[in-house]
Amino acid sequence: MTHEFAENYDVIVVGAGHAGVEASLAASRMGCKTMLATINLEMLAFMPCNPSIGGSAKGIVVREIDALGGEMGKNIDKTYIQMKMLNTGKGPAVRALRAQADKALYSRMMKQTVERQENLTLRQAMIDEILVEEGKVVGVRTATNQYFSAKAVVVTTGTALRGEIILGELKYSSGPNNSLASITLADNLKELGLEIGRFKTGTPPRVKASSINYDETEIQPGDSKPNHFSFLSKDEDYITDQVPCWLTYTNQTSHDIINKNLYRAPMFSGIVKGVGPRYCPSIEDKIVRFADKERHQLFLEPEGRETEEVYVQGLSTSLPEDVQVELLHSIKGLEQAEMMRTGYAIEYDIVLPHQLRATLETKTISGLFTAGQTNGTSGYEEAAGQGLVAGINAALKVQGKTELILKRSDAYIGVMIDDLVTKGTLEPYRLLTSRAEYRLILRHDNADMRLTEIGRQVGLVDDERYRVFTERKRQFDNELTRLSTIKLKPIKETNERITALGFKPLTDALTAKEFMRRPEIDYATIVDFIGPSEEKLDSKVIELLETEIKYEGYINKALDQVAKMKRMEEKRIPATIDWDDIDSIATEARQKFKKINPETIGQASRISGVNPADISILMVYLEGRRKASKNS
């Protein structure tokens, strides 16, 4: 079919949430003429749920986005009202940064960035159809029957795809925050042959700040020590005038109110059909599942400096409005709270992610990519990470360049995408540190060392960002060499100083690096013995040095595992393989192989239900094919 296109683009991104803005910025910065289409311009990079960025595992993803040349880290560093490093009492593998955002300002600043970006057109439009010819994307059609051509399309519709808001007995068609739902596009994706699932998520009520009795709550301040998500941010710009959060709890009265109204709760009455998030359940779900718990934590999180709205973290609910008010008033500090917005649940369609390649391109339609909650994930950070990868790969495809696939050993983003495309997901997917087998090398402090060269190679890391990275790497390498070279000898003067500090004296000569491996020795102590470096080191370089040196043995073990897995990842499986042609593999393995069509032996080995014997048979089969092909 021939269409008369109003405009021609290289890449069109559908949806301007956290995935959409990263995808469109990446494609345009890589030189592609790009259009970002959204139902409502005022909802660009909007936070319909919690007003925060980062947290466990998620904070590392934001660092990775920044290291690759994405925008989320820079934007939250411009708009936070509180910054806090989590898990500081634990090992470096699980430390992660979290920021409370000024919700409106975050959206406004990101919109400004998008509007000013070269090669990027921002347009308010409802996309109703992805145009496909001979299995290949050619463009999109809007609800007003405007046609735009594209060589690649990235769908990042979030919770808008056939979205329905549920509140008590009320259920109506809507995207997040009462925006329009995308109905026709949901039908179109089905018509294109994509398998669609149905998920559910929700938000808590918001209350008026001046109606809270803070004397009955516990203050949760931010950190005084500077920290940032972006490697470009400077310590001297750290905001010290931070807005605190507050902690309170549910109680037995709260639980009684919920229990007596469970028959009115949509998720128990049968109104909710979609599968909800395991790791962020509604308060009514928590009360039922954890009936033995006397109370549950609730964090009161301000939504910005210029608003009275406070987000009640931990009280996500779709209970009727009158029950929500009664529930709020049962909680310490909220006895007189004014509810400004009710909590609600939202159901939405997703594209089941086993239909995607690790580039986030669909397997059946060339040039069609999906990212974010459209793929069944939860969270702004997971969405942004996928959007960035989809945008990069859409641009690389248009330019005829080699695709980018982040491995599990490269990034948490790689772990997430591999989990989605290899295992699929039966519930809203959330990144956790436990999902990453190489988490000791996927830390927040070394994201740029892992990924900035990759971002540079694909054309997303600009000269200034690359200069900052190379300078940081130079400082790290030089100081590591110095610490590996200078020796501390077990002479009387040195040992007297060591014992005065409460440490065991030396018996043999040690390099400064070896001495620093002692748990109680930090970089500042080393400098007292050997003197400072010739140049002032960046505080983040010092943090990286301490971690890399103290955990060197464990890191090397992890790198050995990565090397072994790399060999399996390099063994490609031909796209033309006939899984029925392989004798002896288990029936379950054959079914999973047919469904997922793994591209490498490594990916095949991670599929649930596939055992080592199946992999051995597969490898023997592929070797036989290779030899037969060579001899023919």
Side-chain angles (χ1 to χ4, degrees), residues 136-160:
K136 185 178 179 182
V137 159
V138 295
V140 301
R141 177 182 63 82
T142 71
T144 55
N145 284 320
Q146 291 292 296
Y147 291 84
F148 298 94
S149 77
K151 297 165 189 171
V153 172
V154 185
V155 176
T156 65
T157 46
T159 59

Side-chain angles (χ1 to χ4, degrees), residues 179-340:
S179 60
L180 286 173
S182 179
I183 308 296
T184 309
L185 181 59
D187 294 333
N188 174 237
L189 292 174
K190 273 188 179 178
E191 289 163 7
L192 290 174
L194 293 172
E195 195 179 341
I196 304 298
R198 189 81 172 158
F199 279 0
K200 168 242 158 190
T201 188
T203 72
R206 274 68 157 179
V207 298
K208 191 173 183 180
S210 56
S211 68
I212 297 170
N213 179 6
Y214 291 105
D215 291 339
E216 295 293 327
T217 65
E218 302 168 33
I219 192 167
Q220 305 287 300
D223 291 342
S224 56
K225 181 183 176 183
N227 239 316
H228 320 278
F229 278 104
S230 177
F231 289 97
L232 297 178
S233 297
K234 297 179 172 61
D235 283 357
E236 55 264 33
D237 295 329
Y238 186 67
I239 298 170
T240 53
D241 176 24
Q242 297 189 10
V243 179
C245 296
W246 306 83
L247 174 64
T248 186
Y249 299 88
T250 62
N251 51 55
Q252 191 56 53
T253 303
S254 316
H255 300 184
D256 290 343
I257 292 167
I258 292 168
N259 280 318
K260 77 179 183 184
N261 286 285
L262 280 179
Y263 72 99
R264 301 178 68 194
M267 68 174 298
F268 291 103
S269 66
I271 295 175
V272 168
K273 306 293 185 189
V275 182
R278 178 190 301 261
Y279 299 102
C280 188
S282 65
I283 188 64
E284 51 267 39
D285 194 19
K286 281 192 273 191
I287 298 307
V288 171
R289 281 166 54 189
F290 309 108
D292 57 320
K293 290 200 72 170
E294 293 181 359
R295 63 181 191 172
H296 294 274
Q297 283 187 334
L298 302 174
F299 290 94
L300 307 179
E301 301 177 343
E303 296 213 333
R305 292 182 187 274
E306 306 299 325
T307 179
E308 283 270 300
E309 282 192 78
V310 174
Y311 181 90
V312 188
Q313 171 77 278
L315 205 70
S316 179
T317 183
S318 56
L319 284 162
E321 188 169 344
D322 60 306
V323 180
Q324 292 191 34
V325 173
E326 186 183 2
L327 177 59
L328 284 169
H329 289 169
S330 72
I331 295 161
K332 271 195 170 186
L334 303 181
E335 293 88 350
Q336 304 298 320
E338 293 179 30
M339 185 168 71
M340 297 179 70

Side-chain angles (χ1 to χ4, degrees), residues 226 257 316 337 384 423 472 488 582 585 602 604:
I257 292 167
S316 179
K423 302 172 184 175
R472 188 167 123 89
L488 296 173
I582 308 174
I585 59 171

Side-chain angles (χ1 to χ4, degrees), residues 60 63-64 67 231 410 439-452 469 472 540 543-544 547-548 555:
I60 301 173
R63 277 281 180 105
E64 292 175 349
F231 289 97
D410 289 332
R439 54 188 171 273
L440 191 52
I441 56 177
L442 303 181
R443 306 185 311 275
H444 86 101
D445 63 337
N446 70 347
D448 59 338
M449 299 295 176
R450 292 185 274 122
L451 297 170
T452 298
F469 162 70
R472 188 167 123 89
K540 300 300 181 289
E543 179 186 2
L544 186 60
T547 303
E548 290 284 339
I555 291 169

Side-chain angles (χ1 to χ4, degrees), residues 120-177:
L120 181 53
T121 300
L122 177 61
R123 189 184 299 271
Q124 183 164 295
M126 171 86 81
I127 304 300
D128 274 359
E129 184 181 0
I130 310 297
L131 304 174
V132 177
E133 293 179 5
E134 298 178 356
K136 185 178 179 182
V137 159
V138 295
V140 301
R141 177 182 63 82
T142 71
T144 55
N145 284 320
Q146 291 292 296
Y147 291 84
F148 298 94
S149 77
K151 297 165 189 171
V153 172
V154 185
V155 176
T156 65
T157 46
T159 59
L161 208 60
R162 209 190 304 277
E164 288 183 303
I165 281 181
I166 303 159
L167 175 56
E169 295 175 357
L170 178 66
K171 185 173 186 178
Y172 58 95
S173 175
S174 176
N177 204 43

Side-chain angles (χ1 to χ4, degrees), residues 606-626:
R606 293 189 293 274
I607 297 173
S608 302
V610 173
N611 60 49
D614 298 316
I615 297 299
S616 297
I617 293 166
L618 174 58
M619 290 174 71
V620 169
Y621 171 81
L622 291 175
E623 181 61 19
R625 256 183 65 141
R626 187 187 67 79

Side-chain angles (χ1 to χ4, degrees), residues 392-461:
I392 289 171
N393 278 311
L396 292 172
K397 188 175 185 75
V398 166
Q399 295 164 348
K401 295 179 181 176
T402 304
E403 63 196 19
L404 172 66
I405 294 178
L406 292 176
K407 298 187 294 296
R408 297 182 73 89
S409 54
D410 289 332
Y412 268 93
I413 299 172
V415 171
M416 167 178 59
I417 293 174
D418 183 67
D419 279 351
L420 291 170
V421 304
T422 302
K423 302 172 184 175
T425 184
L426 299 175
E427 60 191 28
Y429 176 97
R430 179 180 180 180
L431 260 174
L432 306 165
T433 53
S434 59
R435 296 192 192 273
E437 61 271 46
Y438 307 119
R439 54 188 171 273
L440 191 52
I441 56 177
L442 303 181
R443 306 185 311 275
H444 86 101
D445 63 337
N446 70 347
D448 59 338
M449 299 295 176
R450 292 185 274 122
L451 297 170
T452 298
E453 286 286 4
I454 294 174
R456 183 69 168 180
Q457 287 164 17
V458 301
L460 192 53
V461 167

